[in-house]
Amino acid sequence: DGQAYVYSTLAGIFNSDDQNLDSAIFYHNKALQIFLEFDNTRSIIYEKNNLGVIYLKKNDLNTALSYCLDAYWLAKESNLVHTRQKSCECLFTIYEKKNDPVSAYPYLKEFHELKDSLFDIESINENSRREILYQYRESQLADSLLRVQEDTEKQIKHDKEVEQQKIYTYFGTGISAIALAFLIFVYRGLRHKKRANRILEEKNSL
Protein backbone atom coordinates (compact mmCIF):
# COMPACT_ATOMS: atom_id res chain seq x y z
CA ASP A 1 0.00 0.00 0.00
CA GLY A 2 2.98 2.33 -0.48
CA GLN A 3 1.29 3.98 -3.48
CA ALA A 4 -1.67 4.87 -1.25
CA TYR A 5 0.58 6.93 1.04
CA VAL A 6 1.85 8.82 -2.00
CA TYR A 7 -1.73 9.61 -3.04
CA SER A 8 -2.58 10.65 0.53
CA THR A 9 0.41 12.99 0.64
CA LEU A 10 -0.59 14.57 -2.68
CA ALA A 11 -4.11 15.01 -1.36
CA GLY A 12 -2.73 16.80 1.70
CA ILE A 13 -0.83 19.20 -0.54
CA PHE A 14 -3.95 20.04 -2.59
CA ASN A 15 -6.06 20.25 0.59
CA SER A 16 -3.99 23.20 1.80
CA ASP A 17 -5.39 25.28 -1.08
CA ASP A 18 -9.18 25.77 -1.16
CA GLN A 19 -8.96 26.18 -4.94
CA ASN A 20 -7.73 22.58 -5.31
CA LEU A 21 -10.18 20.74 -3.07
CA ASP A 22 -11.46 18.60 -5.95
CA SER A 23 -7.91 17.37 -6.60
CA ALA A 24 -7.55 16.62 -2.89
CA ILE A 25 -10.78 14.57 -2.98
CA PHE A 26 -9.55 12.71 -6.07
CA TYR A 27 -6.29 11.61 -4.43
CA HIS A 28 -7.88 10.85 -1.04
CA ASN A 29 -10.33 8.55 -2.82
CA LYS A 30 -7.54 6.79 -4.71
CA ALA A 31 -5.66 6.27 -1.42
CA LEU A 32 -8.86 5.09 0.28
CA GLN A 33 -9.52 2.42 -2.35
CA ILE A 34 -6.04 0.95 -1.88
CA PHE A 35 -6.32 1.00 1.92
CA LEU A 36 -9.70 -0.76 1.65
CA GLU A 37 -8.08 -3.50 -0.46
CA PHE A 38 -5.39 -3.99 2.20
CA ASP A 39 -7.91 -3.67 5.06
CA ASN A 40 -5.73 -0.98 6.66
CA THR A 41 -8.29 0.25 9.22
CA ARG A 42 -6.30 3.11 10.69
CA SER A 43 -5.56 4.57 7.24
CA ILE A 44 -9.16 4.02 6.08
CA ILE A 45 -10.37 6.09 9.04
CA TYR A 46 -7.75 8.75 8.31
CA GLU A 47 -8.86 9.09 4.66
CA LYS A 48 -12.59 9.15 5.53
CA ASN A 49 -12.01 11.83 8.14
CA ASN A 50 -10.04 13.92 5.65
CA LEU A 51 -12.72 13.51 2.98
CA GLY A 52 -15.37 14.55 5.51
CA VAL A 53 -13.39 17.68 6.41
CA ILE A 54 -12.92 18.60 2.72
CA TYR A 55 -16.63 18.19 1.93
CA LEU A 56 -17.32 20.30 5.03
CA LYS A 57 -15.12 23.02 3.52
CA LYS A 58 -17.13 22.71 0.30
CA ASN A 59 -20.29 23.02 2.43
CA ASP A 60 -21.52 19.64 1.15
CA LEU A 61 -22.75 18.75 4.63
CA ASN A 62 -24.52 15.50 3.86
CA THR A 63 -21.51 13.98 2.09
CA ALA A 64 -19.25 15.24 4.88
CA LEU A 65 -21.59 13.68 7.46
CA SER A 66 -21.49 10.32 5.67
CA TYR A 67 -17.67 10.16 5.65
CA CYS A 68 -17.20 11.40 9.23
CA LEU A 69 -19.85 9.03 10.61
CA ASP A 70 -18.15 6.07 8.89
CA ALA A 71 -14.81 7.18 10.31
CA TYR A 72 -16.31 7.67 13.78
CA TRP A 73 -17.82 4.18 14.04
CA LEU A 74 -14.71 2.51 12.62
CA ALA A 75 -12.53 4.39 15.13
CA LYS A 76 -14.86 3.47 17.97
CA GLU A 77 -14.88 -0.21 17.01
CA SER A 78 -11.08 -0.17 16.70
CA ASN A 79 -10.60 1.84 19.92
CA LEU A 80 -8.55 4.50 18.10
CA VAL A 81 -8.93 7.50 20.38
CA HIS A 82 -7.10 10.14 18.36
CA THR A 83 -8.89 9.48 15.06
CA ARG A 84 -12.22 9.20 16.89
CA GLN A 85 -11.60 12.62 18.42
CA LYS A 86 -11.06 14.04 14.94
CA SER A 87 -14.32 12.43 13.77
CA CYS A 88 -16.18 13.97 16.74
CA GLU A 89 -14.81 17.40 15.86
CA CYS A 90 -15.94 16.98 12.26
CA LEU A 91 -19.44 15.73 13.26
CA PHE A 92 -19.94 18.49 15.84
CA THR A 93 -19.04 21.12 13.23
CA ILE A 94 -21.36 19.58 10.61
CA TYR A 95 -24.34 19.50 12.98
CA GLU A 96 -23.52 23.03 14.15
CA LYS A 97 -23.67 24.20 10.51
CA LYS A 98 -26.93 22.30 10.12
CA ASN A 99 -28.31 24.27 13.11
CA ASP A 100 -28.85 21.01 14.98
CA PRO A 101 -27.41 21.62 18.47
CA VAL A 102 -29.12 18.54 19.92
CA SER A 103 -27.16 16.27 17.55
CA ALA A 104 -24.02 18.39 17.85
CA TYR A 105 -23.76 18.37 21.66
CA PRO A 106 -22.96 14.64 22.21
CA TYR A 107 -20.04 14.84 19.77
CA LEU A 108 -18.76 18.07 21.35
CA LYS A 109 -18.95 16.42 24.78
CA GLU A 110 -17.20 13.28 23.54
CA PHE A 111 -14.56 15.39 21.78
CA HIS A 112 -13.56 17.03 25.07
CA GLU A 113 -13.66 13.73 26.94
CA LEU A 114 -11.34 12.17 24.39
CA LYS A 115 -9.13 15.25 24.49
CA ASP A 116 -8.80 14.89 28.28
CA SER A 117 -8.16 11.18 27.86
CA LEU A 118 -5.39 11.85 25.33
CA PHE A 119 -3.92 14.45 27.66
CA ASP A 120 -3.90 11.92 30.50
CA ILE A 121 -2.25 9.32 28.26
CA GLU A 122 0.36 11.86 27.14
CA SER A 123 0.96 12.85 30.77
CA ILE A 124 1.42 9.19 31.73
CA ASN A 125 3.75 8.69 28.79
CA GLU A 126 5.70 11.82 29.73
CA ASN A 127 5.96 10.69 33.35
CA SER A 128 7.03 7.23 32.22
CA ARG A 129 9.61 8.79 29.90
CA ARG A 130 10.96 10.92 32.74
CA GLU A 131 11.09 7.93 35.10
CA ILE A 132 12.95 5.86 32.51
CA LEU A 133 15.33 8.77 31.88
CA TYR A 134 15.87 9.19 35.64
CA GLN A 135 16.57 5.49 36.08
CA TYR A 136 18.92 5.55 33.11
CA ARG A 137 20.83 8.52 34.54
CA GLU A 138 20.97 6.84 37.96
CA SER A 139 22.27 3.69 36.29
CA GLN A 140 24.85 5.70 34.35
CA LEU A 141 25.93 7.45 37.57
CA ALA A 142 26.21 4.12 39.39
CA ASP A 143 28.25 2.69 36.52
CA SER A 144 30.51 5.76 36.55
CA LEU A 145 31.04 5.51 40.30
CA LEU A 146 31.77 1.80 39.97
CA ARG A 147 34.32 2.48 37.22
CA VAL A 148 35.96 5.18 39.36
CA GLN A 149 36.12 2.78 42.30
CA GLU A 150 37.57 0.01 40.12
CA ASP A 151 40.11 2.42 38.57
CA THR A 152 41.08 3.68 42.05
CA GLU A 153 41.53 0.14 43.35
CA LYS A 154 43.64 -0.75 40.31
CA GLN A 155 45.77 2.38 40.80
CA ILE A 156 46.26 1.59 44.51
CA LYS A 157 47.23 -1.99 43.67
CA HIS A 158 49.62 -0.75 40.98
CA ASP A 159 51.18 1.78 43.37
CA LYS A 160 51.66 -0.95 45.98
CA GLU A 161 53.32 -3.21 43.41
CA VAL A 162 55.64 -0.36 42.31
CA GLU A 163 56.50 0.44 45.93
CA GLN A 164 57.14 -3.23 46.68
CA GLN A 165 59.34 -3.49 43.59
CA LYS A 166 61.30 -0.46 44.78
CA ILE A 167 61.83 -2.15 48.19
CA TYR A 168 63.05 -5.34 46.50
CA THR A 169 65.37 -3.24 44.31
CA TYR A 170 66.78 -1.30 47.28
CA PHE A 171 67.16 -4.52 49.28
CA GLY A 172 68.93 -6.26 46.39
CA THR A 173 71.22 -3.25 45.89
CA GLY A 174 72.07 -3.19 49.60
CA ILE A 175 72.86 -6.90 49.68
CA SER A 176 75.03 -6.52 46.59
CA ALA A 177 76.89 -3.60 48.16
CA ILE A 178 77.50 -5.58 51.37
CA ALA A 179 78.67 -8.60 49.39
CA LEU A 180 81.01 -6.40 47.33
CA ALA A 181 82.44 -4.77 50.46
CA PHE A 182 82.96 -8.20 52.02
CA LEU A 183 84.75 -9.46 48.92
CA ILE A 184 86.99 -6.38 48.90
CA PHE A 185 87.75 -6.92 52.58
CA VAL A 186 88.59 -10.60 51.97
CA TYR A 187 90.69 -9.73 48.94
CA ARG A 188 92.71 -7.14 50.87
CA GLY A 189 93.13 -9.56 53.74
CA LEU A 190 94.51 -12.23 51.44
CA ARG A 191 96.92 -9.75 49.81
CA HIS A 192 98.13 -8.62 53.24
CA LYS A 193 98.61 -12.24 54.34
CA LYS A 194 100.53 -13.13 51.19
CA ARG A 195 102.82 -10.11 51.64
CA ALA A 196 103.46 -11.04 55.29
CA ASN A 197 104.24 -14.65 54.30
CA ARG A 198 106.66 -13.48 51.63
CA ILE A 199 108.52 -11.20 54.06
CA LEU A 200 108.72 -14.02 56.60
CA GLU A 201 110.10 -16.43 53.99
CA GLU A 202 112.74 -13.86 53.02
CA LYS A 203 113.81 -13.50 56.64
CA ASN A 204 114.03 -17.26 57.13
CA SER A 205 116.19 -17.68 54.05
CA LEU A 206 118.89 -15.28 55.44
Side-chain angles (χ1 to χ4, degrees):
D1 55 355
Q3 187 66 42
Y5 290 107
V6 174
Y7 288 141
S8 186
T9 301
L10 286 171
I13 294 169
F14 286 117
N15 190 22
S16 62
D17 182 359
D18 288 349
Q19 301 300 316
N20 291 312
L21 293 181
D22 289 336
S23 295
I25 289 170
F26 173 78
Y27 284 111
H28 273 309
N29 273 317
K30 286 185 75 68
L32 177 60
Q33 293 308 312
I34 296 172
F35 287 134
L36 285 167
E37 290 175 11
F38 283 90
D39 197 25
N40 188 333
T41 303
R42 187 182 296 271
S43 295
I44 290 169
I45 297 168
Y46 176 81
E47 297 302 330
K48 284 181 178 288
N49 268 330
N50 282 324
L51 283 164
V53 170
I54 293 171
Y55 279 109
L56 181 58
K57 285 183 180 180
K58 289 169 68 68
N59 209 35
D60 186 346
L61 301 182
N62 289 329
T63 306
L65 181 63
S66 175
Y67 277 114
C68 286
L69 274 175
D70 283 350
Y72 172 81
W73 287 111
L74 276 172
K76 195 165 188 176
E77 289 169 5
S78 304
N79 197 28
L80 297 172
V81 178
H82 191 273
T83 48
R84 191 165 125 220
Q85 183 196 17
K86 186 173 180 180
S87 299
C88 286
E89 183 180 16
C90 179
L91 290 166
F92 161 74
T93 307
I94 291 168
Y95 283 119
E96 187 180 41
K97 283 197 170 188
K98 280 176 166 284
N99 295 316
D100 186 355
V102 175
S103 298
Y105 176 73
Y107 293 109
L108 177 63
K109 181 173 179 290
E110 188 172 353
F111 170 82
H112 286 293
E113 287 172 352
L114 292 171
K115 185 177 180 180
D116 292 340
S117 174
L118 284 169
F119 177 78
D120 290 341
I121 291 170
E122 288 173 359
S123 297
I124 291 169
N125 289 339
E126 177 63 18
N127 289 334
S128 298
R129 187 189 69 80
R130 288 179 179 176
E131 179 63 23
I132 290 169
L133 183 60
Y134 173 78
Q135 291 177 1
Y136 172 76
R137 286 176 176 171
E138 287 291 303
S139 174
Q140 289 293 99
L141 178 60
D143 289 343
S144 297
L145 290 174
L146 181 61
R147 283 195 295 272
V148 169
Q149 183 180 353
E150 289 174 349
D151 290 343
T152 303
E153 289 174 354
K154 286 179 182 178
Q155 187 62 44
I156 291 171
K157 184 179 178 182
H158 175 71
D159 291 345
K160 283 182 178 179
E161 289 174 351
V162 170
E163 192 64 29
Q164 195 172 32
Q165 188 63 42
K166 285 180 180 179
I167 291 170
Y168 289 153
T169 302
Y170 294 152
F171 181 75
T173 303
I175 293 295
S176 299
I178 293 170
L180 180 61
F182 178 73
L183 289 172
I184 292 171
F185 173 77
V186 171
Y187 174 73
R188 286 180 176 177
L190 289 172
R191 284 186 63 188
H192 181 72
K193 186 177 180 180
K194 284 182 180 180
R195 185 186 302 168
N197 288 337
R198 188 171 61 251
I199 292 170
L200 183 61
E201 286 177 359
E202 289 175 354
K203 285 183 179 181
N204 289 335
S205 63
L206 290 177

